[in-house]
Structures are given as structure tokens and as C-alpha cells.
Amino acid sequence: MTMSDTSEASSLSVRPERSETRRQVMARAIRAPGVLPAATFVLILLVWEASCRVFAIPSFILPAPTRVLGGFGAVDTARWLEHVWATLRVAMTGYFLSIAISLPLSIMLSRSEILSRAIYPILVVIQATPVVAIAPVIIVALGSGDLPRVVITCLITFFPLVVSTTTGLMATPPELIELSRSLRAPVFREITQIRLPYAVPYLFSALKISITLAIIGAVVAEFVAAEKGLGYYIQFSTSMFQVQQAWAGLIVLVLLSLILFQIVTAIQRFWFPWSLPGDRT
Amino acid sequence: MKRMIVKTLLGGAFAATAAISAALAADKVVYQLDWLPGGDKAPIYVCIQTGFCAEEGLEVTIEGGRGSSEAITKLATGVSDIGSAGIGALMSAKAGEGVPVTAVMSLFNKGPHAFYALVGSGVEKIEDVKGRSVATSPFTESNIYLPLVLQDMSMAETDITLTKADPGALGPMLMTGATDVIIAWLTDVSRYTGQAKEAGKELVIFPWSAAGLELYSASLVASDKFLKERPDVARRFIEAYKKSIAFAYENPKEAAEAVAAAVPELSVENVEGSLKDAMVLVFNEVTEKDGLGAFEPERLKATWERVSKAQGLDPTALDPESIVDRSFAAGS
Amino acid sequence: MSTAVPAIRFSSIGQVFRTGSGTLEALRGIDMTVGRHEFVAVLGPSGCGKSTLLRLTSGLIRPTSGTVEVFGHPVSEPRDDIGIVFQKPTLLPWATVEDNIVFPARHKTGRVGGDDREKGRVLIARVGLQGFGKQLPAELSGGMQQRVGIARALFMNPDILLMDEPFSALDALTREEMGFELLRIWEAQPKTVMFITHSIGEAVLLADRVLVMSERPGHIVENLRIELPRPRGIDTSNNKAMHDYVGYLRGLLLKRAA
């Protein structure tokens, strides 16, 4: 987002008063959205490949990009999709469950100080408990299947959602609440028409954090117990000494995370453009 | 002509019905792994892929596992019927809580534990680990026996510098010199050898049996419920399983292909390597003496002595004979 | 102004707030009336309780002592026949200008009818925002945003308009322009206006009467009728009488501050 903003600003400020020199053309091409990060990425890959070859780094320490590419071929596309789907299914179920719990909880917390004082410490305790540490306990308690993995994902994602949404609900300008009260409007409309929309920017910043956390949660759960999924695939490949396969799995995982993050960003940009900071003044 | 067609149709229908009823009649068995799939678990995949299981009228599904304790818990709670687990874990579970699980057949009649070092590192015999840095993974069963092995060599744990690391990190640590020695299983010999080769190094391996650690380890264990309610199925399964072990021993490549077909994440070479490594623990001089799958009373007793001592359990808390039932594997 | 029932009447109002560390006396012994369609400016130092006057009038808070009456009836709960314009426009950033103006209807009843829309369009024209109905607040200047705020306050067609330093966030030029704009709207459709400000010039320029409040606990120290001819405009700013009023009030406030 920052990238496209700066490029927009710069393309506005550059006026083609006279014919551009070659250097100016180059400079503009570099500033085109995506060019710089893509170039950096390619450069990193080249350096990586070259160092693996020049220093003869064994692949079990760091496999060269070309070998990682080979790692993608270890299983066919259908099998990859099965792993991606398993992780995605758990991550998304946990994510949406987490949202479904967080929103009403945040509304309750923002409305009642007593409730807030009673529940908040419990939330902090849950958040302070390392999920990795209790994951095995959850698996034992909830058995095999998706449920324990979904619960683990939920535990890891819901805290930022609750904190951020509650903050957003409380950040509504007091004038609008006075306006609402002077209109003697019902409380649910104060929440739906004023507080919740005002919390949207906060909600989305938490949604963006949580979507990547959801993937982490699913992977943590798969490390502990799973027969499918990218986390399982990576762990499996590592214990079978197939490091390039593990790297391939890791790359797919990162891509999945990035795509999901971009989807959340796109949803905000499309349906809630006003909630993006600094787009207009 | 017309009669013949009718006859053929009827025949076909009968055959189809028979096939369907056979499929319906197939006994369902859930097999419990004690770790991730791999070459050392080849027999069960052979059993399914080559049809040994189906021949005995069994429909086997595989339940994944993360360690012997978890596998035993799943068997005890009825998630699965029969599977593999370390006998040491079964013994301590029996001594502690009396879980309803019984060993029916031995798989590894030697401990798989070993020290790995690099040629030229100065570790030339097992006693040379003294004063060295040794890396192990946090949850391996080997850690339990380590004090006994050291004791047998008149060493204490303070005589080595022990560090714990992720199983996947042990190989690289050894090859890069981050540690002098690692503790790993004999089922991974070919994998570590492959890593060493890539790093231009050569391995030297010291099985702990060389230091006097003679015991049973991985075994076929079954839930008591399964053995009691479906003894016939259990017998047929063990029969098929034995055939599968023999097949895997004689045809490692085909066996590896069977595993790779079921678990596409694994390559055939990888499986074949660890399968061959594992077979050394199944077929050896002990097998020649006692037979495949046997629980020889003296060796079983010695195993319990080792387990109880290593885990600080009361040696009288368990009669090792009470955890095995040799009747199901009888016949060979 | 001779009508028997004033639009707003405060009788011996005292206001004490409980705070974390004790109590805070905001108002003491306030007696005042605002006539129907009268434009009254309330002038005073920061923190003297000027805004409390507005919140008492709108029924958002109840006085600790004394009574507040609106059109002869004691105020006991929030009233929707009073429009409020806040210091900041506080518009809904996700709603268009038009939707912001009709928001009171949507918020009170849950829906916006065709006649509400029509009313919204009339108000957009009245505050001089023709052609901006579909814009978002962030696309408007500060002055234009405050015009939307005024239109929203006028939407329920209130008899009383309460304004809490509505132009204080604007630059000087826009501020003056908005003052004249407000007078134009007020003269076109007379309302009772209570206008809080700490700009002496603004108070004199706009109001029929200026109430000067003391620092906390706030009470009224001067009640000054401004006898400047209407309609007022740029010429009024240069008027000698205007300067006299401003000079007098400034002296009063400075003396009190000293």
C-alpha cells in the first residue's frame, strides 16, 4: 500500500515539461509499483544460489533455490492441494470462529466496566500462556480431528481481535454518542451505526494480524498432531532429512499467508476505503 | 445361446455378489503407528498394498502417531486396535497404570540406539565419547537408557557435555562440527550417511548393544479389547503382518515402493534406506536363535531390568511375562 | 422577547461533578433566560463550564441543583427537538455528506424515507453544499465539514440550536465567512441559538446578547445586549459601535483574569 502511494505521489509531482532523459525514464521505471521488490527478490535468489554453489553448502544446511524448486516436485499438485486445503481449512475455521467470539465479547467489554474488569485478566492469562506449550494438552483433551487444531488456532488469534476491537469501540468520538443519546436512539443502533463502524479501522488492523496468526496456529497444531497439512508436511520432511522438501513447504506456507493477508487488505480497500489511514486528507 | 447368456449374466451376478459380500465381510483393523510413516514402518504398508492383509480378509487403516506413549494411549482408549510401540514404554505404562494393552510379538530384538561420530574426530571406540560434546533430541527414548550405557562403561553423565536439539538439526550439527557425537537410531543410518556424503565426511557408528545394552525395543502391541473380542482377526492380522515383514526383508525395493505409493511425501530411495537399516534390528543373530517375533523369557526379563533401572521404577512392580501374550504369534 | 414563556430558562443552576480525586464545582447560581429566536453568545475563559450549559439544556446531564426549562417544561431527559453543533464536525467518515445529514433519521428510526432524503437535499442547498452530496467528509475542507455538521443539527428541524465553539477549529478567514453564513441561515429560518465561543469579536458580531461567564465555578458576570443593526455583514466588522463592544468585553475579561 505504501509502495503504490509513493509511486502515485511521485507520478503526480513529475511533470513531463521537456523530453525525459534516459536516466529519468529509468528512474520512473524503477518506481513503478512492484518493480523494486521484485528486483530485490530476484537479487536475493541469485546471491543465495551463487553462495550455495561457490561455498558448496550442503543442502541439509541450506538447499539452493534450484534444489528447493526440485522439492516442489516431490509430491504432485493434487497432494500439495490436499496439504494446503488441510491447513487452510483449520486456519479459516479457527479464524472465523475467533471473529465470531471476539466481536460480541468486545461489545460486552466496551459496554460494561465491571465485566471488563472481570474478564480482561482472564483474557490476558490465556494470551500469556504459550499456545505451543498447551497444544499437546488440547490435542489429548479434544482427540484427533479438526476440532483441537481449530481451538488452537482460535486461541492464538482471538486476543488481538478482542483488544483492538474493544479499543476501537471505545475510540468513538463522545460527541456522536451524545448525539445518539439526544436522539434517544436504541442502544443497538448506537452500536451498529456508530461504534462498530468506528471500530472498523481497528478491527481490520487486528484482522490483518490475526490472519497470519491463524496460519501459525494451524501449523503449530499440525506439528503436534496431524496427518495432513503444510505444517505436518514440513515437520515430516525435516524428520525424513528432506530439507529441500521442507523449504518448498515453507515457501507455500509463506505464500498462503501473504495471499490471505492481501485478501483481507483488499476487502478493506474495496468495502471500507474510508477506514484506510492517510489515503485522503 | 440365450441360455448361455443368462448363465453368464447369472454367473457374473453371483461373482459380483460374492465380491461385495467379501468386501462387506472384511474385518476392519485400525493400525497404530508410533511415529511418522517411513521405511521402518514398511511391513504394514506392504500388508495393505500387496494384498497380504486382504488375503486374510482384513481391511486395514493406518492411524498416525507421535511417539510410543501416545500410540499406547490411543490403543488403550480404543482409537486403534493394534500397532507398533516401544516395549519399554509399554512396560512403564503397565507398571504405572496397568493400561489394557499387551505385546503380541517383538519387532526389534535389539535396541536401536547408537552414538554417531565422524571418522577422524578421534572417537574410535565407544568409550571415546568420554569428555566429548554429545547432542540428542529432547524426546527420544534413547535418553532414558543413556545413563545405563554410560554406567556400563564406568562413566557418569558429567563425563560428557549433553545438549538437546531438534531431531532434524542433529545431522547438520555433527557434519559442521557443532557437536562431536550425536545420539540417533540405527534406523537412520542411511539418511545420516547420505548427509555425511554430501558434506564430504564419513560416519562411524557405535550401537549401544556394543556397550551391553541388549533388549527388545519396537514391538507389535494390541489393545486387550481387540485381543479378547476378535482373537481370530488378531491372529489373521499377525499372520499377514509376518508375511509382510518377510516380504519387505526379501524385496526391499518393492516394499519401499509400497510405502512411497501410500505416502507420496517419501521417496523410494529414502524408504529403502531406512527399511534396510531397520531390518538389521529385526533379522540378526538373535532372530536366528529365537525366531522372528519371539519374546525370549530371559531377554524379556533383562529388558525389564534395564527399563526399571533406567526409569527408577521398582523392579518388583511388574512381572515382565504379564505384558506379553505369545499365543497370537504362535505358529512360527 | 416579550413573550411570556422563554425558550430556555435556567433557575439557580448549580453543577458539581464527581471526579476521581474528589468533586468539581462547574457552575454556581446560574440564572438566565434565552428568548424565542434570540441569538445568545456565551463568552468565557476555558474550563468555565460553558459547554455544561449546553449539555444541561439538551438534557444530556441533569443539574445538581436548580431547574432547567425549555419552553416552560422542565428538562428531565434528552430532547430531540434541540440541534447540537460540536466543536469538531464529528461526521461519520464512512457516510456521504447526504447520509451524514439524514443520519438523525436513520439513527432514531432505523430507516431513511424519501421525504427525509428531500429534506436532506434542501439542507445541503441551504448550507451551500450543492454538488457535494455524494462526497465523503474526508474530501471536504474543514469549513465545509462544519457546514455538514450544521445541516445535520438542523435536520430534525429543532427550535433550539446549541453550538459549542463550532468555528474554533477553522482558520480566521473561514471562521468569519462561516459566521456570516450562520447568520444568513438563521435569518432565513429563525431559531433560538445558544452559541458558545471564546472569541470576543465573533460573539459581538453574531449575537443579540452576550453572556460573560467567570472562571470556575462558572457564573454569569455580564449580560450585554448588542444593539448592532441587522443584517450584519463585513461592514459591521468595521463599525465603530462594534469596536466599542469588543473593547468593553475585552477589558472586562482581562480585568477578571488579572
Side-chain angles (χ1 to χ4, degrees), chain B residues 101-163:
Chain B
V101 177
T102 300
V104 292
M105 173 179 167
S106 72
L107 297 177
F108 295 175
N109 53 27
K110 283 184 171 187
H113 322 285
F115 287 124
Y116 286 56
L118 292 179
V119 169
S121 66
V123 183
E124 282 163 11
K125 50 186 191 304
I126 194 162
E127 289 81 8
D128 290 343
V129 299
K130 188 167 187 171
R132 301 290 182 147
S133 56
V134 178
T136 181
S137 55
F139 301 115
T140 175
E141 192 193 354
S142 310
N143 297 345
I144 300 171
Y145 296 112
L146 178 64
L148 295 184
V149 169
L150 294 174
Q151 210 179 315
D152 286 351
M153 299 187 291
S154 320
M155 279 187 242
E157 271 187 89
T158 46
D159 286 330
I160 58 168
T161 315
L162 194 67
T163 53

Side-chain angles (χ1 to χ4, degrees), chain B residues 52-258:
Chain B
F52 289 134
C53 285
E55 278 168 23
E56 293 288 346
L58 303 170
E59 190 188 330
V60 178
T61 51
I62 293 178
E63 176 81 18
R66 295 284 195 284
S68 288
S69 316
E70 196 216 19
I72 290 168
T73 309
K74 279 184 171 172
L75 286 165
T77 52
V79 174
S80 39
D81 301 316
I82 188 164
S84 57
I87 199 150
L90 179 63
M91 283 172 166
S92 41
K94 278 285 205 185
E97 294 181 45
V99 289
V101 177
T102 300
V104 292
M105 173 179 167
S106 72
L107 297 177
F108 295 175
N109 53 27
K110 283 184 171 187
H113 322 285
F115 287 124
Y116 286 56
L118 292 179
V119 169
S121 66
V123 183
E124 282 163 11
K125 50 186 191 304
I126 194 162
E127 289 81 8
D128 290 343
V129 299
K130 188 167 187 171
R132 301 290 182 147
S133 56
V134 178
T136 181
S137 55
F139 301 115
T140 175
E141 192 193 354
S142 310
N143 297 345
I144 300 171
Y145 296 112
L146 178 64
L148 295 184
V149 169
L150 294 174
Q151 210 179 315
D152 286 351
M153 299 187 291
S154 320
M155 279 187 242
E157 271 187 89
T158 46
D159 286 330
I160 58 168
T161 315
L162 194 67
T163 53
K164 302 209 168 150
D166 185 83
L170 293 179
M173 282 174 74
L174 182 65
M175 308 314 163
T176 55
T179 182
D180 297 327
V181 178
I182 62 170
I183 296 171
W185 282 21
L186 293 168
T187 50
D188 284 331
V189 170
S190 60
R191 289 174 185 155
Y192 283 117
T193 308
Q195 283 197 344
K197 213 161 131 195
E198 205 189 329
K201 306 270 164 75
E202 211 180 318
L203 286 178
V204 49
I205 300 162
F206 307 99
W208 286 0
S209 54
L213 197 70
E214 292 286 341
L215 40 67
Y216 288 115
S217 77
S219 303
L220 204 58
V221 300
S223 85
D224 289 352
K225 187 163 173 280
F226 175 62
L227 295 178
K228 189 163 164 254
E229 290 175 5
R230 298 191 288 163
D232 173 52
V233 178
R235 268 190 200 96
R236 269 150 49 207
F237 177 82
I238 293 166
E239 193 56 38
Y241 194 84
K242 278 179 158 179
K243 276 187 210 162
S244 307
I245 296 178
F247 179 89
Y249 183 52
E250 284 152 24
N251 311 286
K253 187 149 172 54
E254 284 82 349
E257 276 161 3

Side-chain angles (χ1 to χ4, degrees), chain A:
Chain A
M1 195 204 80
T2 330
M3 285 307 303
S4 65
D5 278 0
T6 44
S7 67
E8 240 173 64
S10 56
S11 64
L12 280 176
S13 62
V14 175
R15 292 224 178 83
E17 282 166 355
R18 53 205 171 86
S19 65
E20 291 172 304
T21 65
R22 187 179 295 167
R23 184 178 292 185
Q24 279 172 317
V25 173
M26 284 268 290
R28 244 217 342 216
I30 285 172
R31 280 190 215 142
V35 168
L36 216 52
T40 317
F41 185 66
V42 170
L43 190 72
I44 290 172
L45 283 184
L46 286 176
V47 171
W48 177 359
E49 180 79 38
S51 9
C52 283
R53 281 164 193 256
V54 171
F55 302 110
I57 300 174
S59 72
F60 57 81
I61 294 177
L62 182 69
T66 43
R67 290 206 58 170
V68 173
L69 213 60
F72 281 99
V75 295
D76 59 15
T77 316
R79 190 72 174 178
W80 270 117
L81 288 179
E82 279 178 44
H83 285 305
V84 170
W85 169 239
T87 303
L88 196 62
R89 190 182 62 225
V90 168
M92 286 299 100
T93 316
Y95 185 60
F96 286 114
L97 187 67
S98 183
I99 295 171
I101 295 171
S102 307
L103 278 188
L105 190 63
S106 302
I107 291 171
M108 274 157 58
L109 289 178
S110 72
R111 289 213 65 81
S112 157
E113 203 187 324
I114 295 173
L115 209 62
S116 177
R117 265 192 263 163
I119 294 178
Y120 220 78
I122 299 173
L123 297 185
V124 174
V125 167
I126 293 175
Q127 172 67 8
T129 313
V131 175
V132 185
I134 55 162
V137 180
I138 294 171
I139 301 273
V140 169
L142 299 178
S144 49
D146 274 359
L147 181 65
R149 294 196 277 276
V150 167
V151 168
I152 289 167
T153 307
C154 211
L155 280 178
I156 225 168
T157 51
F158 94 107
F159 193 73
L161 279 170
V162 171
V163 171
S164 199
T165 311
T166 310
T167 311
L169 290 168
M170 307 284 274
T172 312
E175 289 93 338
L176 283 174
I177 301 307
E178 291 200 342
L179 177 68
S180 173
R181 285 177 52 206
S182 76
L183 288 166
R184 280 179 290 166
V187 170
F188 80 89
R189 248 180 250 142
E190 175 193 312
I191 292 169
T192 57
Q193 295 186 349
I194 299 177
R195 286 195 187 268
L196 273 180
Y198 254 100
V200 162
Y202 295 83
L203 179 63
F204 265 97
S205 65
L207 285 175
K208 285 184 215 165
I209 295 168
S210 288
I211 194 90
T212 51
L213 286 179
I215 294 290
I216 292 175
V219 167
V220 164
E222 284 167 3
F223 270 24
V224 181
E227 271 69 59
K228 282 255 167 60
L230 292 169
Y232 169 77
Y233 181 73
I234 290 170
Q235 194 202 30
F236 184 89
S237 302
T238 324
S239 39
M240 295 300 155
F241 297 59
Q242 301 297 309
V243 181
Q244 70 280 5
Q245 243 170 265
W247 275 82
L250 188 67
I251 288 168
V252 172
L253 201 55
V254 170
L255 285 178
L256 185 66
S257 245
L258 283 178
I259 290 169
L260 291 173
F261 183 86
Q262 287 305 327
I263 289 174
V264 177
T265 310
I267 288 173
Q268 185 181 18
R269 197 178 279 269
F270 190 77
W271 276 292
F272 306 97
W274 48 268
S275 69
L276 291 165
D279 254 19
R280 301 191 189 86
T281 40

